[in-house]
Amino acid sequence: MPDAAESKPWPAISIAEAHARLTAPGAPFEIEEKVIRGIPTRTWKNAPPTLRDVFLNGQQFRDREFLVYEEDRATFDGFARAALTLAHQLIADGVKKGDRVAVIMRNLPEWPVAFWAGQLVGAIVTPLNAWWTGAELEYGLADSGSRVAIVDDERLERLGPHLENLPDLERIYVARLHEAAGDGRCRRLEDVIGRVNAWGKLPERPLPDVAIDPEDDATILYT
């Protein structure tokens, strides 16, 4: 006799039926239609309305390990403290809602801290490809109109000959800088947020008082 499992039809339900169940009224991925910038758009009703809400959702896992890189470890709580500390520094630097903040570095724990710090102040975060040449990075920074760049030491070295062509770039924070930077706009990121394993000891900071709407621009992504 054939096994019971072998006798079941496959697939058990169609993709269309699975989609209908998941997006039905009351389901986790319920879909509704909204008019966004004059265009009727199907959206997920229960999705976090902004990336700031995604950040806040992560805080229900405060003591869990979130970021791991070699010997570096950061919990959700430590990550949040670092992101909020950097966010308040960006505000002190004059960054306002809608300003462009570029993030250019390899896959370090500082990358998400930089990204979310920008989001928390309402900036339009502009991640640039860490593989780009100096000339390509210059183009992305100039084209996006970035006021602040948060980079690692290798990206700073690559950008060095091009910084004189970027007068609108007001501040550069550099993660893991080994040698003093020649450009006066540069500051060590560790001077603001410290080292990864100490992020959990940073003081708690409030969310920046910035009104963020679900339809605000959040990122600029270059192909």
Side-chain angles (χ1 to χ4, degrees):
M1 295 227 5
D3 184 277
E6 294 177 357
S7 63
K8 288 183 178 180
W10 183 258
I13 61 173
S14 67
I15 291 177
E17 185 179 351
H19 182 272
R21 291 189 190 183
L22 288 169
T23 60
F29 299 99
E30 179 180 351
I31 286 180
E32 64 178 358
E33 187 172 281
K34 289 184 176 180
V35 177
I36 299 175
R37 299 179 182 181
I39 301 173
T41 307
R42 286 161 58 82
T43 67
W44 283 285
K45 182 177 181 178
N46 302 313
T50 70
L51 286 174
R52 180 171 59 188
D53 294 284
V54 176
F55 173 85
L56 291 173
N57 284 347
Q59 294 314 291
Q60 62 186 304
F61 310 110
R62 293 176 66 91
D63 296 328
R64 294 189 190 178
E65 225 169 48
F66 176 44
L67 300 170
V68 175
Y69 175 77
E70 295 180 347
E71 301 305 314
D72 292 335
R73 301 289 186 275
T75 62
F76 279 88
D77 179 57
F79 154 75
R81 289 170 186 259
L84 285 164
T85 297
L86 182 54
H88 282 275
Q89 180 60 54
L90 293 175
I91 291 173
D93 290 335
V95 174
K96 296 179 176 60
K97 181 177 177 179
D99 285 342
R100 275 66 165 168
V101 172
V103 181
I104 325 168
M105 66 177 78
R106 61 189 185 277
N107 293 335
L108 296 171
E110 290 89 341
W111 197 105
V113 166
F115 179 89
W116 291 103
Q119 292 296 333
L120 293 173
V121 301
I124 300 175
V125 181
T126 306
L128 298 181
N129 193 326
W131 289 103
W132 275 5
T133 65
E136 289 170 322
L137 293 174
E138 177 191 328
Y139 167 80
L141 288 166
D143 183 70
S144 65
S146 292
R147 292 184 59 190
V148 175
I150 306 169
V151 307
D152 59 16
D153 57 341
E154 186 177 348
R155 258 39 63 178
L156 178 65
E157 181 179 1
R158 204 173 293 173
L159 269 170
H162 303 270
L163 290 176
E164 64 181 4
N165 301 325
L166 296 166
D168 296 330
L169 186 62
E170 299 168 11
R171 174 70 74 181
I172 305 166
Y173 288 100
V174 189
R176 311 194 183 215
L177 181 63
H178 295 298
E179 298 179 4
D183 193 290
R185 291 171 285 183
C186 294
R187 182 179 178 187
R188 292 178 188 271
L189 184 60
E190 288 82 2
D191 290 345
V192 179
I193 62 174
R195 297 192 178 278
V196 177
N197 288 322
W199 286 351
K201 297 178 182 178
L202 288 167
E204 289 192 10
R205 304 294 296 271
L207 281 172
D209 185 16
V210 179
I212 299 178
D213 186 81
E215 307 315 324
D216 288 338
D217 292 328
T219 61
I220 295 174
L221 299 173
Y222 288 86
T223 60

